[in-house]
Amino acid sequence: LVEEMMILMGNVIANYGVRNDIPLIYRVQDISPIPQHFDNLDLSVYESYLKRKLKKARLSSKPMKHFTLGLDKYVQATSPIRRYSDFLVHRQIINYLDGKKIISRQDMANYITYLESRTEESNQRIREEQKDCQSSWFINYPDKIWKVYFILKLKKSEENVLLRFSELEQDIACKINRSRTYELGECLHIKFSRIDSHDKVLTFNHC
């Protein structure tokens, strides 16, 4: 319910900004084809697969559709302490209501370029820290046989795959030695082998 109210608030503010010509930072997402869901496919596996097939949402100074939310326009504005883009939306609305100067659309576009750059840097650090934590976890369970589900092959090489570790409730990019062709949702049993010294990717063997 809280999540739905946050999305509703984002739509209300976006509509208010458009009606009053207030430059805001919109979150937009282009239309993507929806992959078919097969009856025998685990829902968590399908959702993981779907996330990788949808186009990524992005920031824009222009109001456009957000495909996944099914909205014509949307802004994020419920976390001004956590996200600077939310803070900028708040300041724009407050300054407009107070009759003060607001940021121009061009300046808002410049802010978006800066924010996207910093966000990518932060995401890269998060990915590296996550990879380190995952490595430490699997090293501590060298003999455990993991039941996983195949999601998709990654573009880096034939051995790089994305697997759903249901027990951990995580999707993990890794390598499988002697990889073959897999079907979406195919159940595999694997055991941790090593961490690839070249690209630090978790490597597993078939059991």
Side-chain angles (χ1 to χ4, degrees):
L1 181 60
V2 173
E3 183 180 11
E4 291 297 322
M5 292 299 101
M6 292 169 70
I7 293 172
L8 176 60
M9 177 58 72
N11 183 234
V12 169
I13 293 176
N15 283 317
Y16 184 82
V18 170
R19 284 198 307 270
N20 294 280
D21 196 29
I22 306 171
L24 299 175
I25 297 178
Y26 296 90
R27 192 157 185 84
V28 305
Q29 184 188 39
D30 296 330
I31 296 175
S32 302
I34 301 296
Q36 180 181 356
H37 176 246
F38 300 100
D39 293 336
N40 62 342
L41 188 61
D42 184 86
L43 182 59
S44 65
V45 174
Y46 174 73
E47 289 176 346
S48 296
Y49 179 73
L50 181 60
K51 288 177 184 176
R52 272 80 189 172
K53 291 300 179 180
L54 292 174
K55 294 182 180 179
K56 290 185 178 181
R58 65 184 192 281
L59 302 180
S60 174
S61 59
K62 299 178 181 179
M64 291 183 284
K65 291 180 180 292
H66 193 294
F67 175 65
T68 302
L69 297 180
L71 298 173
D72 288 334
K73 55 191 75 72
Y74 174 69
V75 301
Q76 289 180 313
T78 55
S79 302
I81 296 176
R82 183 167 61 90
R83 282 190 299 257
Y84 188 66
S85 56
D86 294 37
F87 173 77
L88 287 176
V89 170
H90 275 235
R91 296 312 306 168
Q92 285 288 85
I93 298 295
I94 291 172
N95 286 345
Y96 174 80
L97 293 174
D98 290 344
K100 297 180 180 178
K101 183 180 180 181
I102 59 177
I103 300 171
S104 69
R105 202 171 305 280
Q106 181 57 54
D107 286 342
M108 193 63 78
N110 293 337
Y111 273 118
I112 289 173
T113 301
Y114 173 75
L115 289 172
E116 287 181 330
S117 173
R118 294 304 302 271
T119 298
E120 180 54 36
E121 291 176 9
S122 298
N123 289 340
Q124 181 60 35
R125 285 196 293 268
I126 291 171
R127 286 192 291 267
E128 291 173 357
E129 290 175 2
Q130 185 180 49
K131 186 181 294 186
D132 290 339
C133 290
Q134 289 172 347
S135 298
S136 298
W137 175 268
F138 284 107
I139 287 172
N140 288 326
Y141 294 91
D143 298 321
K144 181 176 176 60
I145 295 176
W146 298 93
K147 181 180 179 181
V148 300
Y149 297 90
F150 175 78
I151 299 174
L152 50 78
K153 282 198 173 184
L154 302 175
K155 296 179 180 180
K156 293 180 180 179
S157 77
E158 284 297 309
E159 294 182 329
N160 287 68
V161 296
L162 185 69
L163 303 176
R164 177 68 180 177
F165 286 71
S166 297
E167 185 177 338
L168 304 178
E169 297 185 353
Q170 289 187 37
D171 302 332
I172 298 178
C174 56
K175 285 184 178 180
I176 300 181
N177 288 324
R178 298 181 180 177
S179 181
R180 56 176 173 78
T181 300
Y182 306 102
E183 297 292 332
L184 173 62
E186 182 176 345
C187 180
L188 308 173
H189 292 87
I190 58 176
K191 181 186 288 188
F192 176 69
S193 171
R194 59 188 173 83
I195 299 173
D196 191 290
S197 59
H198 175 64
D199 49 17
K200 296 183 179 180
V201 174
L202 296 167
T203 304
F204 293 83
N205 291 324
H206 282 288
C207 293

